[in-house]
Structures are given as structure tokens and as C-alpha cells.
Amino acid sequence: EVQLVESGGGLVQPGGSLRLSCAASGFTFSSYSMNWVRQAPGRGLEWVSYISSSSNSIYYADSVKGRFIISRDNAKNSLYVQMNSLRHEDTAVYYCARVRLGYPDYWGQGTLVTVSS
Amino acid sequence: EIMLTQSPATLSLSPGERVTLSCRASPSVSSYLAWYQQKPGQAPRLLIYDTSNRATGIPARFSGSGSGTDFTLTISSLEPEDFAVYYCLRRSTWPSLTFGGGTKVEIK
């Protein structure tokens, strides 16, 4: 069974940093590209970042470019996002999602990041 | 930049009714469109990919159609567990991934 479990969310002050993790199991993690997608409270889904299976291709939404860094460790079956210079508008549930045939197919349950003073 | 517009924003329906949700793309996305269902407090679930292919485990009452700029998700007969928010998504064309704004299907 495919499982994705996010962790690392919490309350952080504006300007602060946070590192989210996503632990994958039930599939060959190293064979799949991965995404981070977020959802602000009461809002729709917003793509955040993408990383290819071998980390050769990395992309970011304009809203986080220069502040967030996506990475993965295929030996540990783990995906990460380092979030720096956090803003109020980064408050959201952050989901990791596997990519198959160009679409996010399996998603984790999400981890809440709250940016507030 | 791809824009996906979903309509209506909210639908109020009763169990057993037929549902048709719309997603309009600008510009054309060929057949590269997916649909997701999201219930409160849960992650999105992939329903349909490449316009009309049901994802693993998705009931046959869900179907997708369309091409180019106009797409439809149809639920043939609403079940109680189908009340949720539905999103369309344009398949990855890096460097971005685009979601529609969502349609909420609520109980009338």
C-alpha cells in the first residue's frame, strides 16, 4: 500500500524557517517524481514545488521561488522542503504527492504550517 | 500560462441526482486533464486522469469527458459519500502545475 506521511509542521514567526519531511513507503520511491502542494485555510489547492526522481529537475511556484528548497533522499525514501523567510500567506496545510503519468496520484494526509507572531 | 475555471462554485443537490461539473481551460490543454475529490479534513483523491480514465478503485458512476478547452466530470447518481469539493488539474507542463478553483457539491 502506498503511504506518504508528512511531518515537521507547526507554528513559526514571520521571517522564520521550517523544514517539512515526507516519508514514503509501499512503492519504489526512487522511481517517482514528487510534488509539494499546499492549501491555505478555506482555500483551494496550490502547487508549490516539484522534484524529479533523480533530483535532476526541480521547479518552484513563483510565490515560493528563492525562499523554499525542495530535496529528496532516495536512500531514506524521504522528500523534504526547507521553507525560509516565511510569510503569513504561507500558512497552509502542506501535502506531499507522488507523480504518475504527469499527475499527482497519491497524497499524504498533510501537515499544517502556521506563520504568525 | 494555463488557467482552469470551474463552474459552478457550489452545487446543491440530493442523493441520487446526476451531477455535471465543468472545467474550462485557457488555452487548450488537449486531453491532459484530471479530476480530484476532496472531503473536509482529507487529502485530495485522484478520480480521473487524461480526461476520461478512472483511477484505481474509483467507482464507475464517475466519468469524465471533453477535450481542448471544455471538460466535464459526471457523477451518474450521487451517493452520500460524494458530497465534497472537486478540483480539475492540468497535467504537468513544467515549470508549473495548475489547479482549478474547485466546485463544492453540497447536500440540498
Side-chain angles (χ1 to χ4, degrees):
Chain A
E1 179 193 3
V2 173
Q3 285 201 323
L4 297 167
V5 180
E6 300 93 340
S7 60
L11 175 63
V12 61
Q13 292 189 336
S17 298
L18 212 54
R19 188 194 196 208
L20 305 183
S21 300
C22 170
S25 61
F27 66 102
T28 305
F29 180 71
S30 59
S31 296
Y32 288 85
S33 300
M34 299 291 294
N35 281 305
W36 285 100
V37 177
R38 68 184 181 184
Q39 186 169 37
R43 306 294 296 273
L45 300 166
E46 179 190 16
W47 170 73
V48 172
S49 186
Y50 163 94
I51 187 168
S52 63
S53 58
S54 58
S55 304
N56 286 341
S57 295
I58 287 175
Y59 302 109
Y60 299 97
D62 288 344
S63 57
V64 307
K65 200 173 296 182
R67 300 186 299 122
F68 288 15
I69 301 171
I70 191 172
S71 63
R72 64 190 295 161
D73 186 335
N74 286 343
K76 294 182 177 179
N77 291 335
S78 293
L79 173 72
Y80 309 99
V81 62
Q82 175 69 41
M83 304 187 297
N84 301 319
S85 303
L86 283 162
R87 306 167 179 168
H88 291 289
E89 55 265 35
D90 295 318
T91 294
V93 174
Y94 285 74
Y95 297 100
C96 63
R98 189 183 79 166
V99 178
R100 181 177 175 271
L101 299 177
Y103 301 102
D105 62 347
Y106 284 94
W107 300 57
Q109 85 290 349
T111 186
L112 176 62
V113 172
T114 302
V115 183
S116 175
S117 53
Chain B
E1 182 182 344
I2 299 287
M3 296 282 290
L4 297 177
T5 303
Q6 291 188 243
S7 60
T10 305
L11 269 175
S12 298
L13 297 163
S14 301
E17 288 195 82
R18 181 182 179 89
V19 185
T20 300
L21 307 181
S22 172
C23 178
R24 180 158 290 178
S26 177
S28 169
V29 298
S30 185
S31 63
Y32 300 133
L33 194 97
W35 291 92
Y36 293 81
Q37 176 193 67
Q38 188 180 32
K39 298 179 183 179
Q42 295 186 17
R45 177 173 71 145
L46 178 64
L47 300 175
I48 301 286
Y49 65 95
D50 286 347
T51 298
S52 59
N53 296 293
R54 274 190 300 276
T56 303
I58 301 304
R61 65 180 181 274
F62 291 92
S63 63
S65 63
S67 67
T69 59
D70 290 291
F71 298 86
T72 299
L73 174 69
T74 300
I75 309 172
S76 59
S77 179
L78 265 176
E79 296 288 338
E81 61 268 28
D82 298 337
F83 291 94
V85 179
Y86 293 84
Y87 294 94
C88 58
L89 169 73
R90 201 291 193 203
R91 189 178 113 174
S92 310
T93 50
W94 306 110
S96 66
L97 192 62
T98 304
F99 289 93
T103 292
K104 182 179 182 180
V105 177
E106 63 178 22
I107 299 176
K108 187 174 183 180

mmCIF file of all heavy atoms in Angstrom, chain B residues 30-31 51-52 64-72:
data_model
loop_
_atom_site.group_PDB
_atom_site.id
_atom_site.type_symbol
_atom_site.label_atom_id
_atom_site.label_comp_id
_atom_site.label_asym_id
_atom_site.label_seq_id
_atom_site.Cartn_x
_atom_site.Cartn_y
_atom_site.Cartn_z
ATOM 1 N N SER B 30 -5.364 20.076 -24.536
ATOM 2 C CA SER B 30 -5.515 18.790 -25.224
ATOM 3 C C SER B 30 -6.397 17.871 -24.366
ATOM 4 O O SER B 30 -7.483 18.261 -23.980
ATOM 5 C CB SER B 30 -4.145 18.192 -25.502
ATOM 6 O OG SER B 30 -4.259 17.015 -26.267
ATOM 7 N N SER B 31 -5.932 16.678 -24.049
ATOM 8 C CA SER B 31 -6.727 15.775 -23.196
ATOM 9 C C SER B 31 -6.080 15.604 -21.819
ATOM 10 O O SER B 31 -6.461 14.708 -21.062
ATOM 11 C CB SER B 31 -6.876 14.417 -23.864
ATOM 12 O OG SER B 31 -5.608 13.815 -24.015
ATOM 13 N N THR B 51 -8.486 13.076 -18.993
ATOM 14 C CA THR B 51 -9.873 13.389 -19.351
ATOM 15 C C THR B 51 -10.891 12.333 -18.943
ATOM 16 O O THR B 51 -11.957 12.676 -18.402
ATOM 17 C CB THR B 51 -10.012 13.650 -20.870
ATOM 18 O OG1 THR B 51 -9.217 14.779 -21.222
ATOM 19 C CG2 THR B 51 -11.458 13.907 -21.263
ATOM 20 N N SER B 52 -10.594 11.055 -19.223
ATOM 21 C CA SER B 52 -11.671 10.067 -19.090
ATOM 22 C C SER B 52 -11.255 8.747 -18.453
ATOM 23 O O SER B 52 -12.076 7.821 -18.383
ATOM 24 C CB SER B 52 -12.266 9.779 -20.471
ATOM 25 O OG SER B 52 -11.259 9.291 -21.347
ATOM 26 N N GLY B 64 -15.496 11.048 -16.957
ATOM 27 C CA GLY B 64 -15.002 12.318 -17.452
ATOM 28 C C GLY B 64 -15.058 12.372 -18.964
ATOM 29 O O GLY B 64 -14.961 11.339 -19.639
ATOM 30 N N SER B 65 -15.217 13.592 -19.484
ATOM 31 C CA SER B 65 -15.258 13.768 -20.927
ATOM 32 C C SER B 65 -14.753 15.153 -21.275
ATOM 33 O O SER B 65 -14.558 16.010 -20.400
ATOM 34 C CB SER B 65 -16.679 13.556 -21.452
ATOM 35 O OG SER B 65 -17.550 14.543 -20.909
ATOM 36 N N GLY B 66 -14.582 15.363 -22.599
ATOM 37 C CA GLY B 66 -14.156 16.672 -23.081
ATOM 38 C C GLY B 66 -12.851 16.604 -23.835
ATOM 39 O O GLY B 66 -12.267 15.529 -24.010
ATOM 40 N N SER B 67 -12.422 17.768 -24.292
ATOM 41 C CA SER B 67 -11.124 17.892 -24.953
ATOM 42 C C SER B 67 -10.852 19.366 -25.223
ATOM 43 O O SER B 67 -11.789 20.167 -25.316
ATOM 44 C CB SER B 67 -11.079 17.098 -26.262
ATOM 45 O OG SER B 67 -11.945 17.671 -27.212
ATOM 46 N N GLY B 68 -9.586 19.680 -25.345
ATOM 47 C CA GLY B 68 -9.221 21.049 -25.680
ATOM 48 C C GLY B 68 -9.429 22.031 -24.548
ATOM 49 O O GLY B 68 -8.577 22.174 -23.665
ATOM 50 N N THR B 69 -10.577 22.695 -24.550
ATOM 51 C CA THR B 69 -10.824 23.725 -23.530
ATOM 52 C C THR B 69 -12.015 23.429 -22.618
ATOM 53 O O THR B 69 -12.172 24.103 -21.598
ATOM 54 C CB THR B 69 -11.057 25.096 -24.188
ATOM 55 O OG1 THR B 69 -12.179 25.007 -25.067
ATOM 56 C CG2 THR B 69 -9.833 25.537 -24.980
ATOM 57 N N ASP B 70 -12.848 22.477 -22.962
ATOM 58 C CA ASP B 70 -14.050 22.217 -22.166
ATOM 59 C C ASP B 70 -14.113 20.773 -21.701
ATOM 60 O O ASP B 70 -14.093 19.849 -22.522
ATOM 61 C CB ASP B 70 -15.304 22.555 -22.974
ATOM 62 C CG ASP B 70 -15.454 24.058 -23.174
ATOM 63 O OD1 ASP B 70 -15.731 24.744 -22.168
ATOM 64 O OD2 ASP B 70 -15.280 24.529 -24.303
ATOM 65 N N PHE B 71 -14.217 20.610 -20.397
ATOM 66 C CA PHE B 71 -14.174 19.289 -19.774
ATOM 67 C C PHE B 71 -15.315 19.155 -18.770
ATOM 68 O O PHE B 71 -15.755 20.144 -18.168
ATOM 69 C CB PHE B 71 -12.842 19.066 -19.072
ATOM 70 C CG PHE B 71 -11.676 19.102 -20.007
ATOM 71 C CD1 PHE B 71 -11.068 20.303 -20.332
ATOM 72 C CD2 PHE B 71 -11.193 17.938 -20.585
ATOM 73 C CE1 PHE B 71 -10.004 20.358 -21.211
ATOM 74 C CE2 PHE B 71 -10.130 17.973 -21.466
ATOM 75 C CZ PHE B 71 -9.538 19.183 -21.780
ATOM 76 N N THR B 72 -15.743 17.911 -18.590
ATOM 77 C CA THR B 72 -16.866 17.625 -17.698
ATOM 78 C C THR B 72 -16.571 16.411 -16.843
ATOM 79 O O THR B 72 -16.057 15.415 -17.347
ATOM 80 C CB THR B 72 -18.150 17.372 -18.510
ATOM 81 O OG1 THR B 72 -18.466 18.540 -19.270
ATOM 82 C CG2 THR B 72 -19.316 17.028 -17.601
#
